[in-house]
Amino acid sequence: MGKNSADDLIKIVARIQEKSTKNKMENTPGDRKIAKFNNIIQLPLWPEDTRRFPNELLRSALFNARNRKEPRQYFKKAEIAVMFEGHITYQGEELRQDDQIVWLQLIHLARESSLGDAVEFTPHSFCKAIKWPIKNDSYERLRNCLSRMQATALSVYSNRLKRGVSISMIPVFEWQDENQSTLKKYRVQLAPDLIKLFDDVHYTQIIWQQRLSLPTGIATWLHGYYASHREPFPIKLETIKKGSGITTKRPAKVRELIEKALNALINVGFLQSWEIIGDLVHVKRASNL
């Protein structure tokens, strides 16, 4: 490379760096658009006190709200119940709301680097971030969640996705070395194609402390579902049952569980009010975040 060519390259790099610095100063982290430059695919940098998640996944039973005492099933290219125009197929061990909170935190950590790059963290720091007790049982639970999502095949199709999105939720998860000794830091990679489920607008911003304060189950599922609608419309009790994936059969018990979850959403400040008229659930959000 000649001297002039080298000088030109240096000037180009300097301009790119100057523009990047200027953009960081002018835009708030939550407003930064998805970066795609020189094969670098990066999620938007949302604020530390929120998490973001694809709308289609929040409006489905992918991470269901079943009782933790129920044995998990294994699905083979199964159709997952959805509450949007499209469909989801999933292969792997059944996922629940505890898996969702782990994936939420993983995506949060991954937003600071290129998708596909390794994300490293200690089990202590991760469990602390999701408010799980700091003990070996929680570390084992975390490993189980990560391992469960590693052995998956997820396909999402909706009106906005031209060809759908098919990914392994966690392509790489390492927590032991070649001698089977536990690593000080776990290493995880997320699929670059995950970016297609976010683009610039098709995701939901979740208030993290609200999510952490809710009892895991129907309340957390409803929190995500209603958060994905700025002005939630009335939905049937049976639709909530189907969308959350719960298996309770008695209608009276289903209603009782949903009412308890709705009260929990009021207690954390997410809902302003709710009422059930006939079999329709009406809610009013306390915030438009």
Side-chain angles (χ1 to χ4, degrees):
M1 180 182 291
K3 183 176 183 302
N4 291 339
S5 297
D7 290 343
D8 290 342
L9 180 59
I10 291 172
K11 291 178 182 178
I12 292 171
V13 172
R15 284 198 299 270
I16 292 173
Q17 291 175 336
E18 181 181 358
K19 182 177 180 181
S20 176
T21 301
K22 182 179 180 182
N23 286 340
K24 288 179 180 179
M25 292 174 64
E26 291 179 348
N27 298 324
T28 61
D31 292 334
R32 191 173 71 81
K33 292 184 178 294
I34 291 166
K36 295 181 181 179
F37 179 74
N38 283 355
N39 296 321
I40 294 175
I41 302 174
Q42 190 173 358
L43 293 166
L45 290 175
W46 52 83
E48 184 62 32
D49 60 353
T50 64
R51 299 295 184 269
R52 289 189 182 177
F53 213 58
N55 287 345
E56 285 92 346
L57 302 188
L58 288 174
R59 298 171 184 174
S60 78
L62 177 64
F63 295 95
N64 68 61
R66 288 176 193 151
N67 190 306
R68 67 176 61 184
K69 294 181 181 179
E70 294 185 43
R72 293 181 188 248
Q73 302 179 48
Y74 183 87
F75 297 116
K76 186 172 183 181
K77 294 183 180 179
E79 288 278 346
I80 300 296
V82 300
M83 300 170 73
F84 61 88
E85 292 296 324
H87 66 277
I88 292 177
T89 61
Y90 172 76
Q91 181 162 310
E93 189 176 3
E94 179 183 338
L95 301 178
R96 295 184 179 167
Q97 288 291 295
D98 56 345
D99 300 298
Q100 187 195 59
I101 199 170
V102 169
W103 214 41
L104 275 167
Q105 180 63 12
L106 273 180
I107 292 172
H108 182 71
L109 295 177
R111 82 198 195 290
E112 297 182 346
S113 57
S114 175
L115 280 175
D117 288 352
V119 178
E120 295 187 344
F121 51 85
T122 64
H124 176 278
S125 65
F126 200 100
C127 287
K128 182 179 179 180
I130 61 177
K131 296 295 178 67
W132 285 2
I134 306 302
K135 57 181 182 179
N136 288 333
D137 286 350
S138 295
Y139 300 160
E140 181 179 1
R141 184 184 180 191
L142 173 61
R143 290 195 297 270
N144 288 339
C145 286
L146 293 169
S147 296
R148 202 164 19 245
M149 288 186 282
Q150 183 183 13
T152 58
L154 172 68
S155 297
V156 181
Y157 303 87
S158 65
N159 288 343
R160 71 178 179 89
L161 298 170
K162 296 179 180 178
R163 298 182 181 177
V165 176
S166 297
I167 61 172
S168 168
M169 298 177 71
I170 299 179
V172 177
F173 167 46
E174 299 175 358
W175 67 279
Q176 288 182 322
D177 62 17
E178 63 274 11
N179 299 316
Q180 295 188 326
S181 296
T182 302
L183 299 170
K184 291 183 178 179
K185 289 187 175 182
Y186 295 174
R187 299 180 71 253
V188 173
Q189 285 178 254
L190 296 176
D193 275 355
L194 178 65
I195 200 77
K196 296 177 183 177
L197 290 176
F198 279 83
D199 66 37
D200 289 331
V201 294
H202 293 93
Y203 53 77
T204 291
Q205 186 157 290
I206 294 172
I207 301 175
W208 190 230
Q209 285 306 313
Q210 285 183 348
R211 175 64 170 79
L212 295 177
S213 299
L214 289 166
T216 301
I218 299 177
T220 51
W221 185 88
L222 283 173
H223 184 248
Y225 173 77
Y226 282 133
S228 72
H229 296 83
R230 187 172 295 276
E231 296 182 2
F233 49 84
I235 53 175
K236 293 182 178 180
L237 290 165
E238 183 63 27
T239 303
I240 292 177
K241 175 187 174 181
K242 180 181 177 181
S244 63
I246 59 175
T247 55
T248 305
K249 294 182 179 180
R250 290 194 301 114
K253 184 62 177 179
V254 171
R255 180 174 179 136
E256 178 187 336
L257 292 172
I258 292 173
E259 287 179 346
K260 185 177 180 180
L262 292 169
N263 283 330
L265 292 175
I266 285 183
N267 291 339
V268 299
F270 177 73
L271 289 185
Q272 180 177 322
S273 63
W274 65 267
E275 62 177 337
I276 299 177
I277 303 174
D279 65 344
L280 283 178
V281 180
H282 301 251
V283 304
K284 184 175 182 181
R285 288 185 51 178
S287 170
N288 285 326
L289 177 60

